[in-house]
Amino acid sequence: MSDKYWNKPIETMSRKQLRELQLKKLKALVKHCYDDSPFYKRKLKAAGVTPGSIKTLEDIQKIPYTIKTDLRDNYPMGLVAVDSADIVEIHASSGTTGNPIIGAYTKGDMEAWQEGMARSIYTAGGRKEDVIHIAYGYGLFTGGLGFHYGAQKIGTEIVPASGGMTQRQIKLMKDLGVTILCCTPSFAVYLAETMAAEGVNPKKDLKLRIGMFGAEPWSERTRERIQNALGLEPFDVYGLTELSGPGVSCECSEHKGLHIWEDHFFVETINSETGEVLPEGEEGELVFTPLDKMGMPLLRYRTRDISVIETDMCPCRRTHARMMRVAARSDDMLIIRGVNVFPSQIEYVVMGFPELATQYQIYVDRPDALDTFTVKVELTEDSSKTPSLDVNRLRCQILSKINNITGLNPEITICKCGEIPRTEGKAKHVFDNRKGKL
Ligand code: DLL
């Protein structure tokens, strides 16, 4: 290990060597999928692909894409391709309806994830001597434990703060001399505002030097705001549960995009309308094939995240491709307070209540640092006329169902039949007023 790189031979290997390594791993992965995953055996056979079809990296284009619906339809463990006794950990994120998207990991998958996370923290400048405050949620969400495992591998002192209790978090950061802050960018802004309100001067009272922010889109303006308020260097970290969690890619101190750890992930960009593979440098939807993930392997997973890939040499000398910041998605997934929410999840809850009409609206805003989330529903004509209807009870029931699926507590507004405007064409369900405020 040199001072600058966590794994110099891997991080700086020539692109030719990197592609050879990817091809070797891809061949083994396709064979594993064909031999051990009934789901992929069917899919590959239908496309006329056998393990022998993969002779070059370009041959990956013969394999059909995998989409979120494939995961939902095979919930919970239908995509597992190892003996269930070899699964050692489960994580999950929001699915499009009631079922979460499950990530199932073998010991080897955990080691690859931990390696990617350690490399990401190290690339951002984190060292054994640092004190790392992890304010991503712990539990099924991959944020908290993903950072935890990576920091553990480096040997950094870990403060597993998780979410919530902002004042106590600030006290701990001060008293423990925290040097690295890991959380969503919106929580970082909120922390900075709370510090200002409490009379804490982060530049004087705290020892923060690095911030590792991700799990939701954020802009250059937010980066400047966080940097100025907290006096640390912010780094963008990207990942998703389906691929392992955070640590798929991370910025280096050049801040010229996020290095994708290509020994672990094969990346393509595609036109999200046509599915056509795009040349390097063109904006499109990111498609990843995780090369080391054996428990729940995925081939050509469509992320719906829009970005641009560059492979020219970064001044840091790392050869791994860089993805530009993800600012948009090609589907309707909302990220509210770092939590993935699909309008279809809300619809699923609303449709489960006979007292409610089919109209509903979702309002998201960011008046200050944190997102607000309101769900407006409408009573049916019959229930509007039922004097005995307990609206408060109904509100609590709706809230509890939405909370069960998303973990969030939106404000629930119940209105009378006909109050939500009808449109002739497509109904507009989502009003995301955060645009331009990120
Ligand atoms: O958000 C994993 C993660 C945790 C990444 C902590 C970074 C830090 P999921 O909950 O499965 O996993 O959500 C994945 O979040 O497809 C993107 O749309 C979005 N996302 C994640 N990181 C970024 C980022 C985690 N740096 C979904 N910038 C992804 C923009 C991001 N969007």
Short mmCIF file of all heavy atoms in Angstrom, two decimals, residues 93 136 141-143 147 213-218 236-242 245-246 258 303 305 326 329 333 335 340, ligand 1:
data_model
loop_
_atom_site.label_atom_id
_atom_site.label_comp_id
_atom_site.label_asym_id
_atom_site.label_seq_id
_atom_site.Cartn_x
_atom_site.Cartn_y
_atom_site.Cartn_z
N SER A 93 -33.44 -2.10 -0.26
CA SER A 93 -33.87 -0.72 -0.52
C SER A 93 -35.28 -0.79 -1.08
O SER A 93 -35.81 -1.88 -1.29
CB SER A 93 -32.92 -0.03 -1.50
OG SER A 93 -33.09 -0.59 -2.79
N TYR A 136 -24.92 7.94 8.00
CA TYR A 136 -25.89 7.26 7.13
C TYR A 136 -26.62 6.26 8.03
O TYR A 136 -26.04 5.75 9.01
CB TYR A 136 -25.17 6.47 6.04
CG TYR A 136 -24.55 7.31 4.94
CD1 TYR A 136 -23.18 7.45 4.85
CD2 TYR A 136 -25.35 7.95 4.00
CE1 TYR A 136 -22.60 8.21 3.84
CE2 TYR A 136 -24.78 8.71 2.99
CZ TYR A 136 -23.42 8.83 2.92
OH TYR A 136 -22.86 9.58 1.92
N PHE A 141 -30.56 -0.44 5.04
CA PHE A 141 -29.93 0.51 4.11
C PHE A 141 -28.43 0.21 4.08
O PHE A 141 -27.82 -0.07 5.11
CB PHE A 141 -30.20 1.94 4.59
CG PHE A 141 -29.56 3.01 3.74
CD1 PHE A 141 -29.71 3.00 2.36
CD2 PHE A 141 -28.83 4.04 4.32
CE1 PHE A 141 -29.14 4.00 1.57
CE2 PHE A 141 -28.25 5.04 3.56
CZ PHE A 141 -28.40 5.01 2.17
N THR A 142 -27.85 0.28 2.87
CA THR A 142 -26.43 -0.09 2.75
C THR A 142 -25.47 1.02 3.17
O THR A 142 -24.27 0.77 3.29
CB THR A 142 -26.12 -0.43 1.27
OG1 THR A 142 -26.56 0.69 0.46
CG2 THR A 142 -26.81 -1.70 0.82
N GLY A 143 -26.01 2.25 3.39
CA GLY A 143 -25.14 3.39 3.67
C GLY A 143 -24.30 3.22 4.93
O GLY A 143 -23.07 3.25 4.89
N PHE A 147 -20.18 1.97 4.81
CA PHE A 147 -19.07 2.83 5.24
C PHE A 147 -18.35 2.20 6.43
O PHE A 147 -17.12 2.27 6.55
CB PHE A 147 -19.57 4.24 5.59
CG PHE A 147 -19.65 5.12 4.39
CD1 PHE A 147 -20.75 5.11 3.56
CD2 PHE A 147 -18.60 5.97 4.05
CE1 PHE A 147 -20.82 5.90 2.42
CE2 PHE A 147 -18.64 6.77 2.92
CZ PHE A 147 -19.76 6.73 2.10
N PHE A 213 -20.15 12.25 0.76
CA PHE A 213 -21.58 12.46 0.61
C PHE A 213 -22.13 11.73 -0.62
O PHE A 213 -21.50 11.71 -1.67
CB PHE A 213 -21.88 13.96 0.50
CG PHE A 213 -21.28 14.76 1.63
CD1 PHE A 213 -20.39 15.79 1.38
CD2 PHE A 213 -21.57 14.45 2.95
CE1 PHE A 213 -19.81 16.52 2.42
CE2 PHE A 213 -21.00 15.17 4.00
CZ PHE A 213 -20.12 16.21 3.73
N GLY A 214 -23.32 11.15 -0.47
CA GLY A 214 -23.94 10.45 -1.60
C GLY A 214 -25.31 9.95 -1.21
O GLY A 214 -25.92 10.44 -0.25
N ALA A 215 -25.81 8.98 -1.94
CA ALA A 215 -27.13 8.36 -1.75
C ALA A 215 -28.26 9.20 -2.33
O ALA A 215 -29.41 8.75 -2.35
CB ALA A 215 -27.41 8.04 -0.28
N GLU A 216 -27.97 10.41 -2.78
CA GLU A 216 -28.99 11.26 -3.41
C GLU A 216 -28.29 12.25 -4.33
O GLU A 216 -27.09 12.53 -4.14
CB GLU A 216 -29.82 12.00 -2.35
CG GLU A 216 -28.98 12.95 -1.51
CD GLU A 216 -29.76 13.63 -0.39
OE1 GLU A 216 -30.91 13.25 -0.14
OE2 GLU A 216 -29.19 14.55 0.23
N PRO A 217 -29.00 12.79 -5.32
CA PRO A 217 -28.35 13.77 -6.20
C PRO A 217 -28.02 15.06 -5.44
O PRO A 217 -28.77 15.46 -4.55
CB PRO A 217 -29.41 14.05 -7.27
CG PRO A 217 -30.49 13.06 -7.08
CD PRO A 217 -30.39 12.55 -5.68
N TRP A 218 -26.92 15.67 -5.77
CA TRP A 218 -26.56 16.98 -5.19
C TRP A 218 -25.78 17.75 -6.23
O TRP A 218 -25.19 17.17 -7.13
CB TRP A 218 -25.84 16.85 -3.85
CG TRP A 218 -24.60 15.98 -3.80
CD1 TRP A 218 -24.50 14.68 -4.22
CD2 TRP A 218 -23.32 16.32 -3.29
NE1 TRP A 218 -23.23 14.20 -3.98
CE2 TRP A 218 -22.48 15.18 -3.41
CE3 TRP A 218 -22.78 17.46 -2.71
CZ2 TRP A 218 -21.14 15.17 -3.00
CZ3 TRP A 218 -21.46 17.43 -2.29
CH2 TRP A 218 -20.65 16.31 -2.44
N ASP A 236 -17.87 13.06 -3.54
CA ASP A 236 -19.10 12.41 -3.98
C ASP A 236 -18.87 10.88 -4.02
O ASP A 236 -17.87 10.42 -4.57
CB ASP A 236 -19.44 12.93 -5.39
CG ASP A 236 -20.87 12.65 -5.81
OD1 ASP A 236 -21.58 11.96 -5.07
OD2 ASP A 236 -21.28 13.12 -6.90
N VAL A 237 -19.78 10.13 -3.41
CA VAL A 237 -19.71 8.66 -3.42
C VAL A 237 -21.01 8.12 -3.98
O VAL A 237 -22.09 8.58 -3.60
CB VAL A 237 -19.61 8.08 -1.98
CG1 VAL A 237 -19.16 6.63 -2.01
CG2 VAL A 237 -18.73 8.90 -1.12
N TYR A 238 -20.90 7.14 -4.84
CA TYR A 238 -22.10 6.62 -5.51
C TYR A 238 -22.20 5.10 -5.33
O TYR A 238 -21.18 4.41 -5.22
CB TYR A 238 -22.01 6.95 -7.00
CG TYR A 238 -23.00 6.26 -7.90
CD1 TYR A 238 -24.27 6.80 -8.12
CD2 TYR A 238 -22.67 5.07 -8.55
CE1 TYR A 238 -25.18 6.16 -8.95
CE2 TYR A 238 -23.58 4.43 -9.39
CZ TYR A 238 -24.84 4.98 -9.58
OH TYR A 238 -25.74 4.35 -10.40
N GLY A 239 -23.41 4.62 -5.33
CA GLY A 239 -23.61 3.16 -5.31
C GLY A 239 -25.08 2.85 -5.20
O GLY A 239 -25.91 3.75 -5.05
N LEU A 240 -25.41 1.58 -5.33
CA LEU A 240 -26.80 1.17 -5.12
C LEU A 240 -26.85 -0.24 -4.56
O LEU A 240 -25.92 -1.04 -4.77
CB LEU A 240 -27.65 1.29 -6.39
CG LEU A 240 -27.18 0.74 -7.72
CD1 LEU A 240 -28.38 0.44 -8.60
CD2 LEU A 240 -26.33 1.80 -8.41
N THR A 241 -27.91 -0.51 -3.82
CA THR A 241 -28.08 -1.78 -3.13
C THR A 241 -27.88 -2.96 -4.08
O THR A 241 -27.21 -3.94 -3.74
CB THR A 241 -29.51 -1.86 -2.56
OG1 THR A 241 -29.80 -0.63 -1.92
CG2 THR A 241 -29.68 -3.01 -1.60
N GLU A 242 -28.48 -2.85 -5.27
CA GLU A 242 -28.45 -3.98 -6.21
C GLU A 242 -27.02 -4.38 -6.56
O GLU A 242 -26.75 -5.53 -6.87
CB GLU A 242 -29.19 -3.61 -7.50
CG GLU A 242 -30.67 -3.36 -7.33
CD GLU A 242 -30.99 -1.90 -7.04
OE1 GLU A 242 -30.28 -1.28 -6.22
OE2 GLU A 242 -31.94 -1.37 -7.63
N GLY A 245 -23.90 -1.62 -2.72
CA GLY A 245 -24.16 -0.49 -1.83
C GLY A 245 -23.24 0.64 -2.23
O GLY A 245 -22.81 0.70 -3.39
N PRO A 246 -22.90 1.54 -1.28
CA PRO A 246 -21.97 2.62 -1.65
C PRO A 246 -20.62 2.02 -2.01
O PRO A 246 -20.33 0.88 -1.66
CB PRO A 246 -21.88 3.45 -0.36
CG PRO A 246 -22.26 2.51 0.74
CD PRO A 246 -23.26 1.57 0.13
N LEU A 258 -16.28 10.63 -10.67
CA LEU A 258 -16.13 9.56 -9.67
C LEU A 258 -15.49 8.34 -10.33
O LEU A 258 -16.02 7.82 -11.32
CB LEU A 258 -17.49 9.16 -9.10
CG LEU A 258 -18.26 10.20 -8.28
CD1 LEU A 258 -18.97 11.19 -9.21
CD2 LEU A 258 -19.31 9.54 -7.41
N THR A 303 -29.56 0.93 -14.19
CA THR A 303 -29.70 1.67 -12.93
C THR A 303 -30.76 2.76 -13.01
O THR A 303 -31.22 3.23 -11.99
CB THR A 303 -28.38 2.37 -12.57
OG1 THR A 303 -28.09 3.32 -13.62
CG2 THR A 303 -27.23 1.39 -12.41
N ASP A 305 -29.96 5.65 -13.63
CA ASP A 305 -29.21 6.87 -13.32
C ASP A 305 -28.53 7.38 -14.59
O ASP A 305 -27.93 6.60 -15.33
CB ASP A 305 -28.13 6.60 -12.25
CG ASP A 305 -28.75 6.30 -10.91
OD1 ASP A 305 -29.75 6.96 -10.56
OD2 ASP A 305 -28.25 5.41 -10.20
N VAL A 326 -24.21 12.16 -10.91
CA VAL A 326 -25.55 11.74 -11.34
C VAL A 326 -26.53 12.84 -10.94
O VAL A 326 -26.70 13.11 -9.75
CB VAL A 326 -25.98 10.41 -10.69
CG1 VAL A 326 -27.44 10.11 -10.96
CG2 VAL A 326 -25.10 9.28 -11.19
N ARG A 329 -32.51 10.93 -13.21
CA ARG A 329 -32.86 9.52 -13.41
C ARG A 329 -33.82 9.44 -14.59
O ARG A 329 -34.50 10.41 -14.91
CB ARG A 329 -33.53 8.96 -12.15
CG ARG A 329 -32.57 8.76 -11.01
CD ARG A 329 -33.25 8.09 -9.83
NE ARG A 329 -33.91 6.85 -10.18
CZ ARG A 329 -33.32 5.65 -10.17
NH1 ARG A 329 -32.07 5.54 -9.82
NH2 ARG A 329 -34.01 4.57 -10.49
N MET A 333 -38.37 7.60 -9.89
CA MET A 333 -37.99 7.41 -8.48
C MET A 333 -37.60 8.76 -7.86
O MET A 333 -36.83 9.52 -8.43
CB MET A 333 -36.80 6.45 -8.38
CG MET A 333 -36.45 6.11 -6.94
SD MET A 333 -35.12 4.90 -6.82
CE MET A 333 -33.71 5.99 -6.64
N ILE A 335 -35.91 10.66 -4.47
CA ILE A 335 -35.09 10.37 -3.29
C ILE A 335 -35.42 11.43 -2.26
O ILE A 335 -35.14 12.61 -2.46
CB ILE A 335 -33.59 10.33 -3.65
CG1 ILE A 335 -33.36 9.32 -4.78
CG2 ILE A 335 -32.77 9.93 -2.41
CD1 ILE A 335 -31.91 9.06 -5.15
N ASN A 340 -35.23 6.12 -1.14
CA ASN A 340 -35.81 5.98 -2.48
C ASN A 340 -37.31 5.76 -2.36
O ASN A 340 -37.75 4.85 -1.66
CB ASN A 340 -35.20 4.79 -3.21
CG ASN A 340 -33.70 4.89 -3.27
OD1 ASN A 340 -33.13 5.93 -2.98
ND2 ASN A 340 -33.06 3.81 -3.64
O1 DLL B 1 -28.07 5.03 -1.80
C1 DLL B 1 -26.19 3.55 -1.57
C2 DLL B 1 -25.36 4.67 -1.08
C3 DLL B 1 -25.28 4.90 0.29
C4 DLL B 1 -24.62 5.45 -1.96
C5 DLL B 1 -24.47 5.93 0.77
C6 DLL B 1 -23.80 6.48 -1.48
C7 DLL B 1 -23.73 6.71 -0.12
P1 DLL B 1 -29.86 2.80 -2.68
O2 DLL B 1 -30.64 3.14 -1.47
O3 DLL B 1 -30.10 1.49 -3.32
O4 DLL B 1 -28.33 2.83 -2.36
O5 DLL B 1 -30.10 3.96 -3.75
C8 DLL B 1 -29.45 3.95 -4.98
O6 DLL B 1 -29.46 6.38 -5.05
O7 DLL B 1 -29.54 4.49 -8.09
C9 DLL B 1 -29.05 6.77 -7.34
O8 DLL B 1 -30.27 7.13 -7.96
C10 DLL B 1 -29.00 7.39 -5.95
N1 DLL B 1 -27.61 7.75 -5.58
C11 DLL B 1 -26.73 7.04 -4.83
N2 DLL B 1 -25.56 7.72 -4.72
C12 DLL B 1 -25.71 8.88 -5.43
C13 DLL B 1 -24.86 10.01 -5.71
C14 DLL B 1 -27.61 3.91 -1.92
N3 DLL B 1 -23.63 10.12 -5.22
C15 DLL B 1 -29.81 5.18 -5.79
N4 DLL B 1 -25.37 10.99 -6.51
C16 DLL B 1 -29.00 5.28 -7.06
C17 DLL B 1 -26.64 10.92 -7.02
C18 DLL B 1 -27.02 8.89 -5.99
N5 DLL B 1 -27.47 9.89 -6.76
#
